[in-house]
Amino acid sequence: VGCTGSSEKSIKEEAVLSEQSGDYKKSLKKYNELIHRSKVDETIVQYARTAGQIALVKAKDFVQAIAFFKLVVLKSSQPDERIEAQKNLANIYFSYLPVPDYEKAINEFSKLLSLSLAENDRFDLRLNLAKSYYRLNNFFQAQIEIDTLLEGLKDKSKKYELKKLKADIYIAKLRLNNFGKLQR
């Protein structure tokens, strides 16, 4: 046990030093090693959360960030920590990937919307859900999401953003219909 503890400590020190020196690839490799060595879920979550942030923010390695955040969602016993990791996943799929994966973003946003969250968070998530549907040319569902957000909304700047997106949907529908007519 003494050897395991000291080797884990030295691996962690290497991970931290590698991060501090800017060698994010090596740091992530060391965190992966720590995750695979650890038997305690809380420790695994701690390493995965740290590595996820390094992968997302510093290394811009979104594939690894996704894997780390999924691990946090699966293993964490803290609801707030799971929600934060789920938000990170949704945002990676929605806006960080070089080619966004809107279908996966929709899946992650939908999971989050099934939870009890602050009203501002719910608005932002549903708006990103509407934008994801729009970008997949699922205009009907995008409009449903926008109309849901508009119900009872008093904030004029948010209303403007939603109505602008709704106008973009109408324009896109017209373009698709006119393109279809030109093809005939």
mmCIF file of all heavy atoms in Angstrom, residues 7-8 15 27 50-51 57 60 66 80 90 92 95 106 109-110 113 120 122 127 137 153:
data_model
loop_
_atom_site.group_PDB
_atom_site.id
_atom_site.type_symbol
_atom_site.label_atom_id
_atom_site.label_comp_id
_atom_site.label_asym_id
_atom_site.label_seq_id
_atom_site.Cartn_x
_atom_site.Cartn_y
_atom_site.Cartn_z
ATOM 1 N N SER A 7 3.667 6.051 -5.360
ATOM 2 C CA SER A 7 3.734 6.136 -6.819
ATOM 3 C C SER A 7 2.579 6.989 -7.337
ATOM 4 O O SER A 7 2.750 7.751 -8.284
ATOM 5 C CB SER A 7 3.718 4.747 -7.448
ATOM 6 O OG SER A 7 2.490 4.108 -7.257
ATOM 7 N N GLU A 8 1.419 6.904 -6.680
ATOM 8 C CA GLU A 8 0.290 7.748 -7.084
ATOM 9 C C GLU A 8 0.626 9.214 -6.835
ATOM 10 O O GLU A 8 0.347 10.078 -7.667
ATOM 11 C CB GLU A 8 -0.979 7.353 -6.316
ATOM 12 C CG GLU A 8 -2.214 8.088 -6.790
ATOM 13 C CD GLU A 8 -3.493 7.591 -6.143
ATOM 14 O OE1 GLU A 8 -3.619 6.380 -5.887
ATOM 15 O OE2 GLU A 8 -4.372 8.432 -5.906
ATOM 16 N N ALA A 15 1.900 15.066 -13.154
ATOM 17 C CA ALA A 15 0.757 15.632 -13.874
ATOM 18 C C ALA A 15 0.674 17.141 -13.654
ATOM 19 O O ALA A 15 0.507 17.914 -14.602
ATOM 20 C CB ALA A 15 -0.538 14.957 -13.433
ATOM 21 N N SER A 27 0.473 15.833 -19.170
ATOM 22 C CA SER A 27 -0.348 15.993 -17.973
ATOM 23 C C SER A 27 -1.624 15.145 -18.079
ATOM 24 O O SER A 27 -1.986 14.437 -17.132
ATOM 25 C CB SER A 27 -0.712 17.472 -17.787
ATOM 26 O OG SER A 27 -1.514 17.640 -16.648
ATOM 27 N N THR A 50 -10.406 17.656 -13.008
ATOM 28 C CA THR A 50 -9.205 18.458 -13.267
ATOM 29 C C THR A 50 -8.715 18.238 -14.699
ATOM 30 O O THR A 50 -8.435 19.194 -15.430
ATOM 31 C CB THR A 50 -8.087 18.089 -12.266
ATOM 32 O OG1 THR A 50 -8.576 18.312 -10.947
ATOM 33 C CG2 THR A 50 -6.833 18.910 -12.506
ATOM 34 N N ALA A 51 -8.627 16.980 -15.093
ATOM 35 C CA ALA A 51 -8.164 16.660 -16.450
ATOM 36 C C ALA A 51 -9.124 17.192 -17.504
ATOM 37 O O ALA A 51 -8.697 17.664 -18.564
ATOM 38 C CB ALA A 51 -7.991 15.151 -16.591
ATOM 39 N N VAL A 57 -9.881 23.638 -21.657
ATOM 40 C CA VAL A 57 -9.430 25.031 -21.651
ATOM 41 C C VAL A 57 -8.012 25.203 -22.174
ATOM 42 O O VAL A 57 -7.744 26.108 -22.961
ATOM 43 C CB VAL A 57 -9.561 25.625 -20.229
ATOM 44 C CG1 VAL A 57 -9.038 27.049 -20.170
ATOM 45 C CG2 VAL A 57 -10.996 25.558 -19.742
ATOM 46 N N LYS A 60 -7.227 22.136 -25.472
ATOM 47 C CA LYS A 60 -8.217 22.164 -26.562
ATOM 48 C C LYS A 60 -8.369 20.777 -27.194
ATOM 49 O O LYS A 60 -8.573 20.639 -28.393
ATOM 50 C CB LYS A 60 -7.849 23.193 -27.630
ATOM 51 C CG LYS A 60 -7.565 24.580 -27.112
ATOM 52 C CD LYS A 60 -8.811 25.335 -26.786
ATOM 53 C CE LYS A 60 -8.509 26.790 -26.489
ATOM 54 N NZ LYS A 60 -8.966 27.225 -25.197
ATOM 55 N N ILE A 66 -14.371 15.363 -23.408
ATOM 56 C CA ILE A 66 -15.657 14.648 -23.400
ATOM 57 C C ILE A 66 -15.551 13.392 -22.536
ATOM 58 O O ILE A 66 -16.412 13.131 -21.699
ATOM 59 C CB ILE A 66 -16.099 14.308 -24.843
ATOM 60 C CG1 ILE A 66 -16.545 15.572 -25.565
ATOM 61 C CG2 ILE A 66 -17.201 13.253 -24.850
ATOM 62 C CD1 ILE A 66 -16.723 15.414 -27.066
ATOM 63 N N ASP A 80 -24.524 18.817 -8.187
ATOM 64 C CA ASP A 80 -24.031 20.041 -8.829
ATOM 65 C C ASP A 80 -22.830 19.759 -9.729
ATOM 66 O O ASP A 80 -22.695 20.353 -10.802
ATOM 67 C CB ASP A 80 -23.645 21.090 -7.781
ATOM 68 C CG ASP A 80 -24.862 21.665 -7.073
ATOM 69 O OD1 ASP A 80 -25.993 21.478 -7.562
ATOM 70 O OD2 ASP A 80 -24.675 22.307 -6.020
ATOM 71 N N ALA A 90 -22.461 19.378 -23.133
ATOM 72 C CA ALA A 90 -23.376 20.026 -24.076
ATOM 73 C C ALA A 90 -22.679 21.150 -24.830
ATOM 74 O O ALA A 90 -22.798 21.261 -26.056
ATOM 75 C CB ALA A 90 -24.607 20.552 -23.332
ATOM 76 N N ILE A 92 -19.454 21.570 -25.333
ATOM 77 C CA ILE A 92 -18.413 21.055 -26.235
ATOM 78 C C ILE A 92 -19.055 20.636 -27.554
ATOM 79 O O ILE A 92 -18.593 21.024 -28.630
ATOM 80 C CB ILE A 92 -17.642 19.875 -25.603
ATOM 81 C CG1 ILE A 92 -16.774 20.361 -24.448
ATOM 82 C CG2 ILE A 92 -16.770 19.165 -26.655
ATOM 83 C CD1 ILE A 92 -16.193 19.253 -23.586
ATOM 84 N N SER A 95 -20.535 24.035 -29.317
ATOM 85 C CA SER A 95 -19.758 25.163 -29.814
ATOM 86 C C SER A 95 -18.235 25.002 -29.824
ATOM 87 O O SER A 95 -17.549 25.836 -30.393
ATOM 88 C CB SER A 95 -20.113 26.426 -29.029
ATOM 89 O OG SER A 95 -19.879 26.267 -27.662
ATOM 90 N N ILE A 106 -28.085 18.284 -28.650
ATOM 91 C CA ILE A 106 -29.525 18.202 -28.336
ATOM 92 C C ILE A 106 -29.752 17.180 -27.228
ATOM 93 O O ILE A 106 -30.506 17.426 -26.279
ATOM 94 C CB ILE A 106 -30.337 17.860 -29.604
ATOM 95 C CG1 ILE A 106 -30.394 19.070 -30.537
ATOM 96 C CG2 ILE A 106 -31.743 17.374 -29.244
ATOM 97 C CD1 ILE A 106 -30.924 18.779 -31.922
ATOM 98 N N PHE A 109 -28.443 18.744 -23.958
ATOM 99 C CA PHE A 109 -29.319 19.833 -23.499
ATOM 100 C C PHE A 109 -30.628 19.268 -22.955
ATOM 101 O O PHE A 109 -31.139 19.745 -21.942
ATOM 102 C CB PHE A 109 -29.611 20.826 -24.630
ATOM 103 C CG PHE A 109 -28.447 21.699 -25.005
ATOM 104 C CD1 PHE A 109 -28.088 21.871 -26.327
ATOM 105 C CD2 PHE A 109 -27.702 22.369 -24.040
ATOM 106 C CE1 PHE A 109 -27.027 22.684 -26.685
ATOM 107 C CE2 PHE A 109 -26.626 23.184 -24.387
ATOM 108 C CZ PHE A 109 -26.296 23.338 -25.713
ATOM 109 N N SER A 110 -31.163 18.261 -23.623
ATOM 110 C CA SER A 110 -32.422 17.655 -23.179
ATOM 111 C C SER A 110 -32.273 17.004 -21.805
ATOM 112 O O SER A 110 -33.159 17.113 -20.959
ATOM 113 C CB SER A 110 -32.911 16.624 -24.195
ATOM 114 O OG SER A 110 -33.181 17.254 -25.425
ATOM 115 N N LEU A 113 -32.304 19.779 -19.284
ATOM 116 C CA LEU A 113 -33.618 20.397 -19.104
ATOM 117 C C LEU A 113 -34.556 19.534 -18.272
ATOM 118 O O LEU A 113 -35.554 20.027 -17.752
ATOM 119 C CB LEU A 113 -34.236 20.729 -20.464
ATOM 120 C CG LEU A 113 -33.618 21.934 -21.154
ATOM 121 C CD1 LEU A 113 -34.055 22.013 -22.611
ATOM 122 C CD2 LEU A 113 -33.962 23.214 -20.405
ATOM 123 N N ASN A 120 -32.645 31.125 -15.386
ATOM 124 C CA ASN A 120 -31.696 31.649 -16.384
ATOM 125 C C ASN A 120 -30.974 30.516 -17.108
ATOM 126 O O ASN A 120 -30.773 30.578 -18.316
ATOM 127 C CB ASN A 120 -30.669 32.571 -15.721
ATOM 128 C CG ASN A 120 -30.973 34.019 -15.963
ATOM 129 O OD1 ASN A 120 -31.974 34.358 -16.581
ATOM 130 N ND2 ASN A 120 -30.106 34.876 -15.459
ATOM 131 N N ARG A 122 -32.111 27.472 -17.510
ATOM 132 C CA ARG A 122 -33.114 26.811 -18.356
ATOM 133 C C ARG A 122 -33.312 27.587 -19.659
ATOM 134 O O ARG A 122 -33.415 27.005 -20.733
ATOM 135 C CB ARG A 122 -34.438 26.656 -17.620
ATOM 136 C CG ARG A 122 -34.354 25.733 -16.418
ATOM 137 C CD ARG A 122 -35.702 25.488 -15.800
ATOM 138 N NE ARG A 122 -36.521 24.616 -16.605
ATOM 139 C CZ ARG A 122 -36.320 23.310 -16.775
ATOM 140 N NH1 ARG A 122 -35.306 22.723 -16.184
ATOM 141 N NH2 ARG A 122 -37.114 22.600 -17.532
ATOM 142 N N LEU A 127 -32.599 27.820 -25.384
ATOM 143 C CA LEU A 127 -32.197 28.620 -26.544
ATOM 144 C C LEU A 127 -31.161 27.865 -27.372
ATOM 145 O O LEU A 127 -31.264 27.799 -28.602
ATOM 146 C CB LEU A 127 -31.638 29.973 -26.087
ATOM 147 C CG LEU A 127 -31.103 30.882 -27.195
ATOM 148 C CD1 LEU A 127 -32.197 31.208 -28.216
ATOM 149 C CD2 LEU A 127 -30.541 32.158 -26.588
ATOM 150 N N ASN A 137 -31.625 21.907 -39.505
ATOM 151 C CA ASN A 137 -32.764 22.138 -40.400
ATOM 152 C C ASN A 137 -34.061 21.502 -39.890
ATOM 153 O O ASN A 137 -34.958 21.211 -40.670
ATOM 154 C CB ASN A 137 -32.479 21.667 -41.834
ATOM 155 C CG ASN A 137 -31.405 22.493 -42.496
ATOM 156 O OD1 ASN A 137 -31.204 23.662 -42.142
ATOM 157 N ND2 ASN A 137 -30.696 21.907 -43.430
ATOM 158 N N LEU A 153 -42.458 35.595 -21.423
ATOM 159 C CA LEU A 153 -41.153 36.245 -21.313
ATOM 160 C C LEU A 153 -41.329 37.763 -21.298
ATOM 161 O O LEU A 153 -42.038 38.324 -22.122
ATOM 162 C CB LEU A 153 -40.254 35.826 -22.490
ATOM 163 C CG LEU A 153 -38.825 36.319 -22.475
ATOM 164 C CD1 LEU A 153 -38.062 35.728 -21.287
ATOM 165 C CD2 LEU A 153 -38.128 35.944 -23.766
#
